[in-house]
């Protein structure tokens, strides 16, 4: 099942994102469940969140994946939503 993880960073947390980025990217690559991923950007092009499309067995697996993301463990996110997603195009 595909799950869209949409996370918004806490205000003023860009340094947390930068400090944790390598561990986050390693996690994305090593887990084998990430279909697509990239940062959300503000109007000036600064990173303000994340969009990750997970291909997992169920929502519980997505929740576990999200909880173990180094960004989440570092306290980067103000909010995280996990929503089932259907790829059309």
């Amino acid at each position: 099942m595909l799950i869209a993880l949409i996370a918004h960073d806490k205000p003023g947390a860009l340094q947390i994102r930068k400090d944790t980025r390598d561990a986050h990217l390693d996690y994305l690559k090593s887990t084998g469940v990430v279909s697509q991923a990239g940062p959300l950007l503000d109007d000036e092009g600064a990173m303000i969140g994340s969009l990750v499309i997970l291909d997992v067995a169920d929502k519980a697996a997505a929740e576990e994946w999200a909880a173990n993301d180094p960004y989440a463990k570092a306290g980067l996110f103000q909010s995280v939503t996990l929503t089932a997603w259907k790829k059309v195009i």
Side-chain angles (χ1 to χ4, degrees):
M1 113 182 273
L2 296 174
I3 301 280
L5 179 153
I6 301 172
H8 292 94
D9 296 356
K10 292 177 181 172
L14 182 57
Q15 193 59 51
I16 295 171
R17 176 175 280 277
K18 288 179 179 179
D19 292 345
T20 316
R21 191 162 196 260
D22 288 343
H24 168 73
L25 293 175
D26 287 345
Y27 182 67
L28 266 65
K29 293 172 187 174
S30 70
T31 59
V33 298
V34 177
S35 174
Q36 299 178 64
L40 300 175
L41 307 175
D42 67 12
D43 292 340
E44 288 76 44
M47 294 180 287
I48 58 165
S50 298
L51 169 64
V52 182
I53 304 298
L54 300 168
D55 189 351
V56 292
D58 53 32
K59 193 166 184 180
E63 290 168 348
E64 181 179 344
W65 188 95
N68 288 301
D69 180 356
Y71 278 170
K73 288 184 173 186
L76 174 63
F77 299 132
Q78 177 176 328
S79 66
V80 176
T81 59
L82 296 167
T83 306
W85 182 70
K86 180 180 178 181
K87 183 177 180 179
V88 175
I89 297 175

